Structure formats: structure tokens, C-alpha cells
């Protein structure tokens, strides 16, 4: 008969999980995570007679809040639990595992599904009983309350500091450096900021300004070449007039201004003009997209022109037959077309043609004749990305692309006939691949 007194307890594999919300002190030889692990390992050793054995793998999360489950150490622990490698999870305190009741309920589901026991070495309770579960919920409620109170204190401190104009960290805007928790003017960058504001007042167009700044090689503090989004953020940043902003409200800042209030007001006055109106003004200064390319079915060229009605400008393409009052010009087909409509039609037709297999095959053959090492997939991907390229181009660059790809656009009574420059497509593909290679990952 088996001797029950000498029966050895079932072996229980114990995983220690540690966490610390801030990174402060983590570089010390013996930090908070080490202290938690030491206490948990001592507790596991005290349960040796119960068959508890320590899993040597470290499940640590330093500098990560307990308000989220997206923690590398915790995710590794959960994966090992699902794989059946863990029987007991040991933590120093419950809030090391989670400070959220919702998140903790998800963890408990994982534990129960895999028959895993949860133990806190400083808080004794048994979750197999209703009283133990009540105690756990009470402790978790206080942990969540503590986390929320700490969050409110931090938010209140940030708000109070911003109202006093104090720099509270974060991304340092171009033109400044951060020193001793204060913004200090960077003379070289500040000159560039003043240049951006001044040129915007002169040009009245963020598109033209961006083009000019990119040509000059202007980059932001992260080394990224200036684009229109960066320009707009700079032009709308009240830090440059010496103010601190918190939740839409501005307050006098501790730092020095880079631009004057008068220059800021001039920029705001321009920005209040409709972007559509400013874009139209920019296009008016740019060569017409189809100049020299569009013809009627009689062979007459159509020239760009415009009329004004009040402050608005309307663009057209008009047949030279009509301009010169040639015989039959008033009856044969469309002779005066809205520029926006016909340009969109040409771009749409161009998009459709570039997606055809025949175009991709011809382009691939041309590229390979030039000894270019390129695959069919790269050619197809480049042609498919034409829309993205087109949206990223400035008006002058769009005109250059149209001149590269279109030999002739003929307007007939039946519609639009587009004659492509097939020899220009390989050049476009090379340009798109080079642009893609320059883009940061």
C-alpha cells in the first residue's frame, strides 16, 4: 500500500514578474526590479516543500505603466503560460501586474484557462474563495484609483506650469534648444525660422515656399527635408512669438520670441484666406498644365487663357480657330473648355493608360535595353504608385511630368484622345524608384 505521508508534492513551476512605471533608478546596480525579484524568489524558496521551483527566465518591464497590457515582459509571460510552461505567477504586489480592473480581469481569464495560480508575496489572499476574490477586487480598485489620481496630479501640474509659461518638455521646435528645462534660442535655426515666416508673407503660398525651402535643402531638427506639413506647423506655432500653449490656450512664455507679433499677424492674415483661393493664385503663376499639348479635332491648337469676375479667376483652353475668327470656328465641336475639367480628364486618362499591361511590358523592355536591373514587379508597383507621386508634386513639377508623358491631347465631339510619349515612361519609372529609395523607412 502506498505511503501517503511520503508522497512528494507535485512540482509547480513559478515565474516571477516585476514592473516599475518610471525609468528612474533602473541604471543602478541594485534597482527596484531587483528588489522585487529577490523578495519573490525568497518566497518561492520558502515554498520548496510544496514543490515550488523557480523559472530562471526574467519577466521584467522597466519604465512601463501598469495601465496597459502592451508590455514586452508581460507578453512573454502570457505566451509561456499559454504554452503550458508556467504553473504559478509570483509578483511583489498586485499592482505590479496591473493597475486596471478591466485588464486584470483579462489576465485572470488567461490564468484560469491554463490552471495557473496567482500569488502576491506582500498581500495574502486565496482567489479560490468568494472572499478572496472580493479582497482582490478591492485591492485592484485602490490600485486603479491611485493610478488615476497620479495621472490627474501630473496633468494639473503640467497645466499649471504651462500657464506660467514653463517649458514642460516634449518635441523641441526648430529655432530652439532645450537647456535646464527651458527653451533657448538656437541662432542658426532661428534665422531659418525668420526666413520661412518672411518669405511666406512675400509669396503668400505655402506650396511655392516649400518648393523654395526644399531647393535650398532646409531640414527640420530631425533631419527631415522640409515639406508643406512642416511649413504649416511652423507658421501656426505660437512658441515663436514667445508664448506657451496648453489645450488651445496660450500664455506668456519664459522663453524669448523669434519673430515679432507684427510678422505673426501678417502671416495669420494670409492664412485666413481660403486655401483654395491661394492655390488658384499659385496656379495662375504656373505654366498651364496642357500648354502646347492640347488640340481640337481640326488640328487647331488650344491656348490657355483666363477671365476674372470680381476676385475670382476662371481658366480656360480656347481654340486658336476661335481666337483668330477662322471660318467654321463657331460650329465645329467644343472650342472653349474649362481648364480644370479638361486637365482632370487628361490626368484620369493618363492614370488608366499607365495601369494597362501593354504599357508595363513596353516600359520593362525599354529599361532592360538600357541595362537597368529591374523586375516586372518593380515596374508594376511604380506605375501603380503614380497617383501618390502626382499628389506629392508641385504644380510646376506636375507640368513637367505631363510634358514628359503626353505627346498630344485631342478633344473631339466623342471625347478625349490621348497620345502618350512611350519613351518618357521609363524615365518616369526611374524617377519614382529613386524617389522611393530616398524616402526614409
Amino acid at each position: 500500500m502506498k505511503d501517503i505521508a511520503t508522497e512528494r508534492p507535485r512540482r509547480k513551476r513559478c515565474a516571477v514578474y516585476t514592473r516599475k512605471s518610471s525609468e528612474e533608478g533602473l541604471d543602478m546596480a541594485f534597482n527596484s526590479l531587483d528588489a522585487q525579484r529577490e523578495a519573490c524568489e525568497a518566497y518561492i524558496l520558502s515554498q520548496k516543500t510544496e514543490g515550488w521551483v523557480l523559472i530562471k527566465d526574467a519577466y521584467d518591464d522597466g519604465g512601463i505603466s501598469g495601465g496597459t497590457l502592451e508590455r514586452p515582459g508581460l507578453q512573454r509571460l502570457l505566451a509561456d503560460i499559454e504554452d503550458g510552461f508556467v504553473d504559478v505567477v509570483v509578483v511583489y504586489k498586485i499592482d505590479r501586474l496591473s493597475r486596471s480592473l478591466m485588464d486584470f480581469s483579462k489576465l485572470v481569464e488567461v490564468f484560469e484557462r491554463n490552471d495557473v495560480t496567482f500569488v502576491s508575496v506582500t498581500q495574502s489572499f486565496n482567489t479560490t474563495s468568494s472572499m478572496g476574490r472580493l479582497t482582490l477586487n478591492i485591492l485592484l480598485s485602490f490600485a486603479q484609483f491611485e493610478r488615476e489620481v497620479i495621472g490627474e496630479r501630473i496633468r494639473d501640474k503640467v497645466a499649471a506650469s504651462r500657464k506660467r509659461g514653463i517649458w514642460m518638455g516634449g518635441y523641441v521646435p526648430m529655432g530652439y534648444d532645450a537647456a535646464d528645462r527651458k527653451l533657448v534660442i538656437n541662432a542658426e535655426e532661428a534665422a531659418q525660422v525668420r526666413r520661412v515666416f518672411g518669405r511666406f508673407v512675400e509669396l503668400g503660398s505655402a506650396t511655392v515656399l516649400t518648393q523654395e525651402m526644399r531647393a535650398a535643402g532646409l531640414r527640420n531638427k530631425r533631419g527631415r527635408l522640409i515639406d508643406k506639413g512642416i511649413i504649416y506647423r511652423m507658421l501656426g506655432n505660437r512658441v515663436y512669438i514667445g508664448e506657451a500653449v496648453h489645450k488651445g490656450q496660450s500664455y506668456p512664455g519664459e522663453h524669448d520670441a523669434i519673430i515679432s507679433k507684427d510678422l505673426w499677424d501678417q502671416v495669420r492674415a494670409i492664412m485666413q484666406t481660403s486655401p483654395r483661393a491661394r492655390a488658384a493664385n499659385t496656379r495662375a503663376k504656373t505654366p498651364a498644365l496642357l500648354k502646347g499639348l492640347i488640340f481640337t479635332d481640326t488640328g487647331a491648337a488650344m491656348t490657355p487663357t483666363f477671365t476674372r469676375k470680381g476676385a475670382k479667376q476662371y481658366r480656360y483652353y480656347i481654340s486658336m480657330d476661335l481666337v483668330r475668327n477662322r471660318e467654321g470656328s463657331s460650329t465645329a465641336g467644343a472650342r472653349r473648355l474649362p481648364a480644370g475639367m479638361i486637365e482632370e480628364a487628361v490626368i484620369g486618362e493618363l492614370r488608366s493608360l499607365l495601369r494597362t499591361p501593354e504599357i508595363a511590358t513596353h516600359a520593362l523592355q525599354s529599361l532592360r535595353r538600357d541595362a537597368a536591373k529591374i523586375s516586372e514587379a518593380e515596374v508594376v508597383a511604380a506605375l501603380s504608385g503614380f497617383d501618390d507621386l502626382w499628389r506629392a508634386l508641385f504644380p510646376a513639377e506636375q507640368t513637367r511630368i505631363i510634358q514628359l508623358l503626353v505627346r498630344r491631347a485631342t478633344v473631339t465631339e466623342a471625347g478625349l484622345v490621348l497620345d502618350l510619349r512611350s519613351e518618357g515612361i521609363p524615365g518616369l519609372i526611374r524617377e519614382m524608384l529613386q524617389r522611393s529609395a530616398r524616402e526614409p523607412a
Side-chain angles (χ1 to χ4, degrees), residues 374-395:
I374 187 170
S375 68
E376 183 177 354
E378 288 176 308
V379 170
V380 172
L383 292 174
S384 299
F386 176 77
D387 284 356
D388 293 334
L389 170 69
W390 185 262
R391 285 192 292 268
L393 294 177
F394 299 106

Side-chain angles (χ1 to χ4, degrees), residues 10-15 53 55 81 84-89 114-118:
R10 184 175 69 86
R11 183 170 174 267
K12 296 179 181 178
R13 296 159 297 179
C14 303
V53 293
I55 295 175
I81 289 174
F85 298 144
V86 178
D87 299 310
V88 181
V89 175
N114 294 277
D115 295 325
V116 170
T117 306
F118 166 68

Side-chain angles (χ1 to χ4, degrees), residues 84-286:
F85 298 144
V86 178
D87 299 310
V88 181
V89 175
V90 183
V91 295
Y92 183 72
K93 289 177 66 176
I94 293 174
D95 63 3
R96 298 303 87 191
L97 196 59
S98 177
R99 283 180 176 266
S100 167
L101 277 171
M102 184 78 69
D103 289 345
F104 195 85
S105 66
K106 297 176 182 177
L107 294 176
V108 170
E109 288 179 7
V110 176
F111 294 163
E112 291 181 348
R113 186 171 63 249
N114 294 277
D115 295 325
V116 170
T117 306
F118 166 68
V119 174
S120 167
V121 301
T122 59
Q123 297 158 320
S124 299
F125 54 85
N126 183 355
T127 56
T128 60
S129 68
S130 58
M131 183 58 71
R133 287 191 292 271
L134 174 62
T135 304
L136 174 62
N137 286 333
I138 292 172
L139 291 172
L140 281 172
S141 295
F142 276 103
Q144 179 168 322
F145 172 74
E146 181 183 10
R147 177 173 64 89
E148 292 173 354
V149 168
I150 292 172
E152 289 174 359
R153 289 173 182 166
I154 293 173
R155 287 191 293 271
D156 290 345
K157 179 181 178 181
V158 170
S161 299
R162 296 299 282 168
K163 288 178 182 178
R164 293 176 59 189
I166 299 173
W167 172 252
M168 293 302 294
Y171 176 67
V172 180
M174 184 177 177
Y176 292 97
D177 292 324
D180 299 325
R181 297 184 64 83
K182 291 185 178 181
L183 289 180
V184 180
I185 290 180
N186 179 315
E188 184 178 348
E189 292 181 2
Q192 298 290 358
V193 171
R194 294 187 190 99
R195 179 185 173 194
V196 168
F197 275 80
R199 288 296 291 158
F200 181 75
V201 170
E202 294 171 4
L203 298 170
S205 168
T207 298
V208 177
L209 174 60
T210 304
Q211 188 175 14
E212 182 180 296
M213 293 297 107
R214 288 174 71 92
L218 183 62
R219 297 178 181 271
N220 67 359
K221 291 186 81 71
R222 296 177 179 176
R224 179 181 172 186
L225 202 61
I226 289 291
D227 59 27
K228 193 186 291 187
I230 295 173
I231 290 290
Y232 275 123
R233 285 194 291 273
M234 290 177 64
L235 296 175
N237 195 342
R238 302 187 72 89
V239 167
Y240 293 128
I241 53 174
E243 295 183 357
V245 179
H246 181 68
K247 292 188 176 181
Q249 296 293 320
S250 59
Y251 308 93
E254 287 187 333
H255 59 282
D256 295 326
I258 288 179
I259 65 168
S260 68
K261 188 63 166 56
D262 287 342
L263 181 57
W264 172 267
D265 290 339
Q266 291 179 57
V267 169
R268 301 320 316 149
I270 295 172
M271 295 288 283
Q272 287 173 3
T273 304
S274 165
R276 187 185 298 272
R278 285 190 280 116
N281 183 53
T282 300
R283 283 193 296 271
K285 299 174 183 177
T286 303

